[in-house]
mmCIF file of all heavy atoms in Angstrom:
data_model
loop_
_atom_site.group_PDB
_atom_site.id
_atom_site.type_symbol
_atom_site.label_atom_id
_atom_site.label_comp_id
_atom_site.label_asym_id
_atom_site.label_seq_id
_atom_site.Cartn_x
_atom_site.Cartn_y
_atom_site.Cartn_z
ATOM 1 N N LEU G 144 -51.083 -48.311 31.662
ATOM 2 C CA LEU G 144 -50.118 -49.112 32.371
ATOM 3 C C LEU G 144 -50.732 -50.438 32.824
ATOM 4 O O LEU G 144 -50.126 -51.503 32.707
ATOM 5 C CB LEU G 144 -49.542 -48.352 33.563
ATOM 6 C CG LEU G 144 -48.577 -49.122 34.460
ATOM 7 C CD1 LEU G 144 -47.346 -49.550 33.668
ATOM 8 C CD2 LEU G 144 -48.180 -48.266 35.655
ATOM 9 N N VAL G 145 -51.959 -50.356 33.332
ATOM 10 C CA VAL G 145 -52.680 -51.558 33.765
ATOM 11 C C VAL G 145 -52.838 -52.527 32.612
ATOM 12 O O VAL G 145 -52.601 -53.740 32.712
ATOM 13 C CB VAL G 145 -54.043 -51.215 34.382
ATOM 14 C CG1 VAL G 145 -54.868 -52.446 34.598
ATOM 15 C CG2 VAL G 145 -53.845 -50.478 35.693
ATOM 16 N N LEU G 146 -53.231 -52.003 31.447
ATOM 17 C CA LEU G 146 -53.425 -52.856 30.273
ATOM 18 C C LEU G 146 -52.112 -53.509 29.854
ATOM 19 O O LEU G 146 -52.095 -54.718 29.528
ATOM 20 C CB LEU G 146 -53.986 -52.020 29.111
ATOM 21 C CG LEU G 146 -54.212 -52.770 27.790
ATOM 22 C CD1 LEU G 146 -55.183 -53.882 27.980
ATOM 23 C CD2 LEU G 146 -54.696 -51.804 26.720
ATOM 24 N N CYS G 147 -51.020 -52.755 29.876
ATOM 25 C CA CYS G 147 -49.722 -53.336 29.480
ATOM 26 C C CYS G 147 -49.324 -54.438 30.475
ATOM 27 O O CYS G 147 -48.755 -55.475 30.068
ATOM 28 C CB CYS G 147 -48.674 -52.251 29.454
ATOM 29 S SG CYS G 147 -48.902 -51.027 28.111
ATOM 30 N N CYS G 148 -49.558 -54.243 31.749
ATOM 31 C CA CYS G 148 -49.202 -55.221 32.732
ATOM 32 C C CYS G 148 -50.039 -56.500 32.562
ATOM 33 O O CYS G 148 -49.535 -57.618 32.743
ATOM 34 C CB CYS G 148 -49.397 -54.684 34.168
ATOM 35 S SG CYS G 148 -48.165 -53.463 34.637
ATOM 36 N N VAL G 149 -51.312 -56.331 32.224
ATOM 37 C CA VAL G 149 -52.177 -57.495 31.968
ATOM 38 C C VAL G 149 -51.681 -58.313 30.792
ATOM 39 O O VAL G 149 -51.636 -59.536 30.839
ATOM 40 C CB VAL G 149 -53.641 -57.026 31.730
ATOM 41 C CG1 VAL G 149 -54.487 -58.165 31.209
ATOM 42 C CG2 VAL G 149 -54.238 -56.465 33.021
ATOM 43 N N VAL G 150 -51.294 -57.583 29.725
ATOM 44 C CA VAL G 150 -50.791 -58.307 28.556
ATOM 45 C C VAL G 150 -49.498 -59.021 28.859
ATOM 46 O O VAL G 150 -49.320 -60.197 28.472
ATOM 47 C CB VAL G 150 -50.544 -57.289 27.400
ATOM 48 C CG1 VAL G 150 -49.788 -57.970 26.237
ATOM 49 C CG2 VAL G 150 -51.825 -56.707 26.917
ATOM 50 N N LEU G 151 -48.589 -58.419 29.585
ATOM 51 C CA LEU G 151 -47.300 -59.038 29.952
ATOM 52 C C LEU G 151 -47.561 -60.292 30.815
ATOM 53 O O LEU G 151 -46.983 -61.355 30.570
ATOM 54 C CB LEU G 151 -46.425 -58.059 30.724
ATOM 55 C CG LEU G 151 -45.104 -58.616 31.255
ATOM 56 C CD1 LEU G 151 -44.230 -59.121 30.097
ATOM 57 C CD2 LEU G 151 -44.380 -57.560 32.096
ATOM 58 N N LEU G 152 -48.434 -60.186 31.818
ATOM 59 C CA LEU G 152 -48.718 -61.320 32.686
ATOM 60 C C LEU G 152 -49.381 -62.443 31.910
ATOM 61 O O LEU G 152 -49.083 -63.625 32.095
ATOM 62 C CB LEU G 152 -49.605 -60.868 33.855
ATOM 63 C CG LEU G 152 -49.991 -61.974 34.850
ATOM 64 C CD1 LEU G 152 -48.772 -62.581 35.491
ATOM 65 C CD2 LEU G 152 -50.943 -61.430 35.889
ATOM 66 N N ALA G 153 -50.308 -62.110 31.007
ATOM 67 C CA ALA G 153 -50.985 -63.127 30.186
ATOM 68 C C ALA G 153 -49.959 -63.889 29.324
ATOM 69 O O ALA G 153 -50.050 -65.146 29.239
ATOM 70 C CB ALA G 153 -52.049 -62.488 29.328
ATOM 71 N N LEU G 154 -49.028 -63.189 28.742
ATOM 72 C CA LEU G 154 -48.010 -63.846 27.910
ATOM 73 C C LEU G 154 -47.152 -64.793 28.755
ATOM 74 O O LEU G 154 -46.860 -65.920 28.325
ATOM 75 C CB LEU G 154 -47.134 -62.810 27.239
ATOM 76 C CG LEU G 154 -47.796 -61.966 26.134
ATOM 77 C CD1 LEU G 154 -46.845 -60.861 25.661
ATOM 78 C CD2 LEU G 154 -48.211 -62.856 24.945
ATOM 79 N N VAL G 155 -46.783 -64.364 29.945
ATOM 80 C CA VAL G 155 -45.915 -65.189 30.808
ATOM 81 C C VAL G 155 -46.690 -66.406 31.332
ATOM 82 O O VAL G 155 -46.143 -67.531 31.371
ATOM 83 C CB VAL G 155 -45.336 -64.350 31.966
ATOM 84 C CG1 VAL G 155 -44.576 -65.253 32.934
ATOM 85 C CG2 VAL G 155 -44.440 -63.270 31.419
ATOM 86 N N LEU G 156 -47.921 -66.199 31.721
ATOM 87 C CA LEU G 156 -48.713 -67.319 32.207
ATOM 88 C C LEU G 156 -48.947 -68.363 31.116
ATOM 89 O O LEU G 156 -48.872 -69.592 31.369
ATOM 90 C CB LEU G 156 -50.066 -66.831 32.739
ATOM 91 C CG LEU G 156 -50.010 -66.057 34.053
ATOM 92 C CD1 LEU G 156 -51.390 -65.477 34.384
ATOM 93 C CD2 LEU G 156 -49.570 -66.952 35.213
ATOM 94 N N PHE G 157 -49.197 -67.891 29.915
ATOM 95 C CA PHE G 157 -49.365 -68.820 28.802
ATOM 96 C C PHE G 157 -48.054 -69.572 28.543
ATOM 97 O O PHE G 157 -48.051 -70.803 28.341
ATOM 98 C CB PHE G 157 -49.793 -68.070 27.531
ATOM 99 C CG PHE G 157 -49.780 -68.903 26.290
ATOM 100 C CD1 PHE G 157 -50.853 -69.764 26.015
ATOM 101 C CD2 PHE G 157 -48.712 -68.875 25.406
ATOM 102 C CE1 PHE G 157 -50.872 -70.550 24.868
ATOM 103 C CE2 PHE G 157 -48.696 -69.660 24.265
ATOM 104 C CZ PHE G 157 -49.762 -70.503 23.995
ATOM 105 N N ALA G 158 -46.923 -68.831 28.553
ATOM 106 C CA ALA G 158 -45.647 -69.455 28.260
ATOM 107 C C ALA G 158 -45.252 -70.459 29.328
ATOM 108 O O ALA G 158 -44.788 -71.566 28.993
ATOM 109 C CB ALA G 158 -44.567 -68.371 28.136
ATOM 110 N N THR G 159 -45.430 -70.149 30.619
ATOM 111 C CA THR G 159 -45.043 -71.075 31.671
ATOM 112 C C THR G 159 -45.930 -72.335 31.648
ATOM 113 O O THR G 159 -45.440 -73.435 31.850
ATOM 114 C CB THR G 159 -45.130 -70.377 33.033
ATOM 115 O OG1 THR G 159 -46.426 -69.771 33.194
ATOM 116 C CG2 THR G 159 -44.057 -69.340 33.205
ATOM 117 N N THR G 160 -47.211 -72.145 31.408
ATOM 118 C CA THR G 160 -48.107 -73.310 31.336
ATOM 119 C C THR G 160 -47.751 -74.184 30.125
ATOM 120 O O THR G 160 -47.678 -75.417 30.273
ATOM 121 C CB THR G 160 -49.579 -72.861 31.201
ATOM 122 O OG1 THR G 160 -49.891 -72.013 32.324
ATOM 123 C CG2 THR G 160 -50.500 -74.034 31.213
ATOM 124 N N TRP G 161 -47.517 -73.542 28.991
ATOM 125 C CA TRP G 161 -47.189 -74.302 27.796
ATOM 126 C C TRP G 161 -45.856 -75.047 27.946
ATOM 127 O O TRP G 161 -45.753 -76.225 27.566
ATOM 128 C CB TRP G 161 -47.131 -73.358 26.609
ATOM 129 C CG TRP G 161 -46.797 -74.043 25.320
ATOM 130 C CD1 TRP G 161 -47.618 -74.802 24.519
ATOM 131 C CD2 TRP G 161 -45.514 -74.071 24.668
ATOM 132 N NE1 TRP G 161 -46.920 -75.276 23.441
ATOM 133 C CE2 TRP G 161 -45.631 -74.845 23.475
ATOM 134 C CE3 TRP G 161 -44.265 -73.484 24.959
ATOM 135 C CZ2 TRP G 161 -44.583 -75.059 22.610
ATOM 136 C CZ3 TRP G 161 -43.200 -73.712 24.097
ATOM 137 C CH2 TRP G 161 -43.371 -74.485 22.916
ATOM 138 N N LEU G 162 -44.851 -74.406 28.508
ATOM 139 C CA LEU G 162 -43.551 -75.028 28.683
ATOM 140 C C LEU G 162 -43.659 -76.185 29.658
ATOM 141 O O LEU G 162 -43.050 -77.243 29.452
ATOM 142 C CB LEU G 162 -42.536 -73.999 29.198
ATOM 143 C CG LEU G 162 -42.074 -72.950 28.214
ATOM 144 C CD1 LEU G 162 -41.246 -71.859 28.888
ATOM 145 C CD2 LEU G 162 -41.228 -73.601 27.086
ATOM 146 N N ALA G 163 -44.381 -76.032 30.767
ATOM 147 C CA ALA G 163 -44.523 -77.095 31.744
ATOM 148 C C ALA G 163 -45.174 -78.332 31.093
ATOM 149 O O ALA G 163 -44.743 -79.489 31.377
ATOM 150 C CB ALA G 163 -45.355 -76.641 32.932
ATOM 151 N N ARG G 164 -46.164 -78.110 30.264
ATOM 152 C CA ARG G 164 -46.851 -79.226 29.617
ATOM 153 C C ARG G 164 -46.021 -79.818 28.472
ATOM 154 O O ARG G 164 -46.038 -81.031 28.250
ATOM 155 C CB ARG G 164 -48.228 -78.791 29.083
ATOM 156 C CG ARG G 164 -49.158 -78.416 30.236
ATOM 157 C CD ARG G 164 -50.488 -77.882 29.750
ATOM 158 N NE ARG G 164 -51.343 -77.531 30.911
ATOM 159 C CZ ARG G 164 -52.556 -77.007 30.786
ATOM 160 N NH1 ARG G 164 -53.077 -76.769 29.598
ATOM 161 N NH2 ARG G 164 -53.244 -76.715 31.885
ATOM 162 N N MET G 165 -45.295 -78.990 27.754
ATOM 163 C CA MET G 165 -44.449 -79.458 26.648
ATOM 164 C C MET G 165 -43.363 -80.383 27.176
ATOM 165 O O MET G 165 -43.024 -81.380 26.522
ATOM 166 C CB MET G 165 -43.839 -78.291 25.901
ATOM 167 C CG MET G 165 -43.050 -78.735 24.664
ATOM 168 S SD MET G 165 -42.191 -77.379 23.847
ATOM 169 C CE MET G 165 -40.898 -76.974 25.091
ATOM 170 N N PHE G 166 -42.798 -80.081 28.344
ATOM 171 C CA PHE G 166 -41.717 -80.890 28.925
ATOM 172 C C PHE G 166 -42.275 -82.018 29.786
ATOM 173 O O PHE G 166 -41.495 -82.710 30.441
ATOM 174 C CB PHE G 166 -40.766 -80.019 29.713
ATOM 175 C CG PHE G 166 -39.900 -79.151 28.861
ATOM 176 C CD1 PHE G 166 -40.054 -77.761 28.849
ATOM 177 C CD2 PHE G 166 -38.880 -79.692 28.095
ATOM 178 C CE1 PHE G 166 -39.250 -76.965 28.060
ATOM 179 C CE2 PHE G 166 -38.051 -78.901 27.296
ATOM 180 C CZ PHE G 166 -38.249 -77.539 27.303
ATOM 181 N N GLY G 167 -43.598 -82.223 29.809
ATOM 182 C CA GLY G 167 -44.170 -83.365 30.422
ATOM 183 C C GLY G 167 -44.195 -83.353 31.963
ATOM 184 O O GLY G 167 -44.202 -84.444 32.566
ATOM 185 N N PHE G 168 -44.234 -82.196 32.583
ATOM 186 C CA PHE G 168 -44.295 -82.141 34.027
ATOM 187 C C PHE G 168 -45.706 -82.562 34.510
ATOM 188 O O PHE G 168 -46.704 -82.346 33.827
ATOM 189 C CB PHE G 168 -44.009 -80.729 34.518
ATOM 190 C CG PHE G 168 -42.563 -80.345 34.476
ATOM 191 C CD1 PHE G 168 -42.053 -79.650 33.373
ATOM 192 C CD2 PHE G 168 -41.704 -80.700 35.506
ATOM 193 C CE1 PHE G 168 -40.723 -79.331 33.320
ATOM 194 C CE2 PHE G 168 -40.372 -80.359 35.456
ATOM 195 C CZ PHE G 168 -39.878 -79.674 34.364
ATOM 196 N N ALA G 169 -45.747 -83.164 35.710
ATOM 197 C CA ALA G 169 -47.016 -83.516 36.342
ATOM 198 C C ALA G 169 -47.784 -82.244 36.657
ATOM 199 O O ALA G 169 -47.248 -81.166 36.705
ATOM 200 C CB ALA G 169 -46.757 -84.345 37.605
ATOM 201 N N VAL G 170 -49.083 -82.402 36.950
ATOM 202 C CA VAL G 170 -49.917 -81.227 37.196
ATOM 203 C C VAL G 170 -49.433 -80.484 38.427
ATOM 204 O O VAL G 170 -49.397 -79.224 38.438
ATOM 205 C CB VAL G 170 -51.385 -81.701 37.444
ATOM 206 C CG1 VAL G 170 -52.266 -80.515 37.836
ATOM 207 C CG2 VAL G 170 -51.941 -82.336 36.183
ATOM 208 N N GLU G 171 -49.022 -81.210 39.494
ATOM 209 C CA GLU G 171 -48.521 -80.515 40.690
ATOM 210 C C GLU G 171 -47.279 -79.710 40.370
ATOM 211 O O GLU G 171 -47.094 -78.585 40.904
ATOM 212 C CB GLU G 171 -48.190 -81.538 41.786
ATOM 213 C CG GLU G 171 -49.412 -82.230 42.363
ATOM 214 C CD GLU G 171 -49.891 -83.385 41.507
ATOM 215 O OE1 GLU G 171 -49.280 -83.651 40.433
ATOM 216 O OE2 GLU G 171 -50.883 -84.017 41.869
ATOM 217 N N ASP G 172 -46.393 -80.205 39.516
ATOM 218 C CA ASP G 172 -45.197 -79.483 39.119
ATOM 219 C C ASP G 172 -45.549 -78.306 38.221
ATOM 220 O O ASP G 172 -44.936 -77.228 38.300
ATOM 221 C CB ASP G 172 -44.197 -80.400 38.395
ATOM 222 C CG ASP G 172 -43.666 -81.474 39.332
ATOM 223 O OD1 ASP G 172 -43.658 -81.253 40.548
ATOM 224 O OD2 ASP G 172 -43.233 -82.515 38.810
ATOM 225 N N GLU G 173 -46.534 -78.502 37.335
ATOM 226 C CA GLU G 173 -47.006 -77.404 36.481
ATOM 227 C C GLU G 173 -47.470 -76.221 37.325
ATOM 228 O O GLU G 173 -47.166 -75.068 37.010
ATOM 229 C CB GLU G 173 -48.119 -77.873 35.570
ATOM 230 C CG GLU G 173 -48.787 -76.785 34.747
ATOM 231 C CD GLU G 173 -50.029 -77.273 34.042
ATOM 232 O OE1 GLU G 173 -50.022 -78.419 33.503
ATOM 233 O OE2 GLU G 173 -51.047 -76.530 34.048
ATOM 234 N N ILE G 174 -48.230 -76.514 38.363
ATOM 235 C CA ILE G 174 -48.706 -75.441 39.259
ATOM 236 C C ILE G 174 -47.548 -74.685 39.853
ATOM 237 O O ILE G 174 -47.539 -73.442 39.896
ATOM 238 C CB ILE G 174 -49.572 -76.072 40.381
ATOM 239 C CG1 ILE G 174 -50.880 -76.622 39.778
ATOM 240 C CG2 ILE G 174 -49.886 -75.049 41.477
ATOM 241 C CD1 ILE G 174 -51.673 -77.454 40.759
ATOM 242 N N THR G 175 -46.513 -75.395 40.326
ATOM 243 C CA THR G 175 -45.349 -74.753 40.905
ATOM 244 C C THR G 175 -44.629 -73.883 39.890
ATOM 245 O O THR G 175 -44.230 -72.754 40.180
ATOM 246 C CB THR G 175 -44.382 -75.815 41.464
ATOM 247 O OG1 THR G 175 -45.069 -76.592 42.443
ATOM 248 C CG2 THR G 175 -43.178 -75.172 42.109
ATOM 249 N N ILE G 176 -44.451 -74.375 38.686
ATOM 250 C CA ILE G 176 -43.784 -73.639 37.615
ATOM 251 C C ILE G 176 -44.558 -72.371 37.270
ATOM 252 O O ILE G 176 -43.990 -71.300 37.119
ATOM 253 C CB ILE G 176 -43.585 -74.516 36.366
ATOM 254 C CG1 ILE G 176 -42.604 -75.656 36.665
ATOM 255 C CG2 ILE G 176 -43.098 -73.692 35.162
ATOM 256 C CD1 ILE G 176 -42.560 -76.732 35.607
ATOM 257 N N VAL G 177 -45.883 -72.498 37.168
ATOM 258 C CA VAL G 177 -46.697 -71.332 36.787
ATOM 259 C C VAL G 177 -46.637 -70.250 37.865
ATOM 260 O O VAL G 177 -46.422 -69.064 37.569
ATOM 261 C CB VAL G 177 -48.146 -71.772 36.520
ATOM 262 C CG1 VAL G 177 -49.077 -70.558 36.405
ATOM 263 C CG2 VAL G 177 -48.234 -72.622 35.248
ATOM 264 N N PHE G 178 -46.797 -70.623 39.123
ATOM 265 C CA PHE G 178 -46.866 -69.627 40.192
ATOM 266 C C PHE G 178 -45.495 -69.104 40.607
ATOM 267 O O PHE G 178 -45.409 -67.984 41.077
ATOM 268 C CB PHE G 178 -47.604 -70.222 41.432
ATOM 269 C CG PHE G 178 -49.075 -70.367 41.206
ATOM 270 C CD1 PHE G 178 -49.722 -71.532 41.554
ATOM 271 C CD2 PHE G 178 -49.818 -69.352 40.663
ATOM 272 C CE1 PHE G 178 -51.073 -71.681 41.381
ATOM 273 C CE2 PHE G 178 -51.177 -69.477 40.455
ATOM 274 C CZ PHE G 178 -51.804 -70.643 40.806
ATOM 275 N N CYS G 179 -44.444 -69.908 40.449
ATOM 276 C CA CYS G 179 -43.096 -69.434 40.799
ATOM 277 C C CYS G 179 -42.419 -68.716 39.610
ATOM 278 O O CYS G 179 -41.587 -67.835 39.831
ATOM 279 C CB CYS G 179 -42.228 -70.604 41.263
ATOM 280 S SG CYS G 179 -42.710 -71.306 42.814
ATOM 281 N N GLY G 180 -42.791 -69.101 38.406
ATOM 282 C CA GLY G 180 -42.118 -68.525 37.235
ATOM 283 C C GLY G 180 -42.760 -67.291 36.619
ATOM 284 O O GLY G 180 -42.198 -66.665 35.747
#
C-alpha cells in the first residue's frame, strides 16, 4: 500500500509541476499549484 501511494503521489506531483510550467505560471504560483493540487 505504501508503494502504491508513493507512485500515485509521484505521478500527481510530476503532473502538477509540469502543468504549472506548461501554462507559464510564475514560480510562486507553481508552488501553490503543486501543494494545493
Side-chain angles (χ1 to χ4, degrees):
L144 177 61
V145 170
L146 179 60
C147 292
C148 289
V149 168
V150 171
L151 176 62
L152 180 60
L154 290 174
V155 174
L156 288 173
F157 172 81
T159 51
T160 304
W161 180 78
L162 288 171
R164 295 177 181 178
M165 184 185 69
F166 287 110
F168 284 96
V170 175
E171 292 82 0
D172 294 337
E173 174 190 317
I174 292 170
T175 302
I176 292 168
V177 169
F178 287 133
C179 292

